[in-house]
Amino acid sequence: MQKIRVIDFETTGMPEDAVKAICEVGYTDLTADWQLSQTVNFLVNPGHPIPPQTRAVHHISDADVVGAVSPDVATRTLMAGMEEADVFAAHNCKFEQAFFGGGQRRWICTMQAAKHLFPDAPGFSNQVLRYWLNLDAQMEDVSRAMPPHRAGPDTYVTALILGRLLTMASVDELVRLTTAPVLLRDVTFGKHKGMKWADLPWDYLNWVANKSDLGADEKHTARHYLGGR
């Protein structure tokens, strides 16, 4: 039976930083009939000091990771028990993929899929979706989701989001949506913030589509509405 392993990392830096490594790993599996397994989490010794700006997010200290496993051991642990048809998932999976390739297995990004399937959500962080979807009502023990910004609890929340997404789309469709650009509804930046993309003037749509350095979703949306004019 196919399973989905939902993972989350706490790290010492962002993917674009010169010095970065994993300092905590968490995962929660969705197994037969999309039932949630127990959450696994463990600390990782990144091999260098944890800077204060990332410690301020997860509150993991250098003393906490003394004697913990190395990043290489951590990523090998994530591969344990993964069959060829199994899938990895993460909330904003591009972040996790910067540290762990997943052995060429397919990935689901719950954040990107949520943008496609929950267009009315007020935001797309896993904690905003947690409360917007009232996921606490599904939890037998709400303490499993606490504290935020730690790897284990975050995978539990993300796994519940994934469970809700799986009521709306298949695994194959969620994999497809993970790399498909989103057709946006509301403008969330700049001088037209608060407007609908469908109502933007032609010249601004043209700038977004052809001259700006905005993201794939914004360019896709601009081209969509340009094509209808």
Side-chain angles (χ1 to χ4, degrees):
M1 182 72 179
Q2 184 182 44
K3 70 174 174 290
I4 305 174
R5 178 157 291 172
V6 181
I7 71 172
D8 185 77
F9 297 153
E10 301 303 329
T11 69
T12 66
M14 300 298 290
E16 63 271 18
D17 293 339
V19 178
K20 58 185 181 293
I22 301 165
C23 61
E24 188 178 43
V25 167
Y27 67 89
T28 303
D29 289 347
L30 274 72
T31 55
D33 299 322
W34 305 135
Q35 297 300 304
L36 271 63
S37 72
Q38 288 298 310
T39 296
V40 175
N41 63 279
F42 54 91
L43 292 168
V44 180
N45 189 329
H48 57 255
I50 300 172
Q53 59 268 38
T54 54
R55 186 179 174 188
V57 175
H58 48 60
H59 306 288
I60 299 169
S61 70
D62 293 336
D64 292 330
V65 299
V66 171
V69 301
S70 69
D72 285 347
V73 171
T75 54
R76 287 201 299 272
T77 301
L78 281 174
M79 292 299 301
M82 290 292 286
E83 303 295 335
E84 186 176 352
D86 292 342
V87 178
F88 283 106
H91 205 70
N92 189 18
C93 70
K94 288 181 180 179
F95 182 88
E96 276 69 25
Q97 287 174 311
F99 298 86
F100 170 64
Q104 298 185 330
R105 280 164 182 74
R106 299 186 300 164
W107 285 78
I108 293 170
C109 179
T110 51
M111 183 175 72
Q112 189 75 352
K115 289 179 180 179
H116 286 282
L117 297 177
F118 303 141
D120 294 327
F124 295 96
S125 73
N126 66 345
Q127 295 297 322
V128 169
L129 290 171
R130 167 189 175 178
Y131 294 116
W132 185 71
L133 294 168
N134 193 27
L135 296 178
D136 285 29
Q138 295 178 232
M139 299 180 190
E140 294 181 4
D141 181 2
V142 176
S143 67
R144 251 185 102 176
M146 301 299 290
H149 302 299
R150 292 299 297 264
D154 280 358
T155 67
Y156 178 58
V157 172
T158 300
L160 289 170
I161 295 168
L162 178 57
R164 192 68 63 85
L165 290 167
L166 285 164
T167 68
M168 304 174 69
S170 67
V171 171
D172 288 346
E173 178 64 4
L174 293 178
V175 169
R176 187 191 72 80
L177 292 177
T178 289
T179 56
V182 177
L183 185 64
L184 303 171
R185 185 183 63 183
D186 301 316
V187 180
T188 59
F189 63 91
K191 64 182 181 180
H192 296 300
K193 183 177 181 179
M195 288 184 64
K196 304 296 182 187
W197 278 91
D199 298 330
L200 291 180
W202 182 92
D203 59 342
Y204 191 75
L205 289 171
N206 183 60
W207 174 79
V208 170
N210 299 309
K211 300 177 182 178
S212 77
D213 58 358
L214 293 171
D217 294 344
E218 289 80 9
K219 287 180 175 292
H220 169 73
T221 302
R223 288 171 184 143
H224 171 83
Y225 287 113
L226 282 172
R229 297 188 182 180

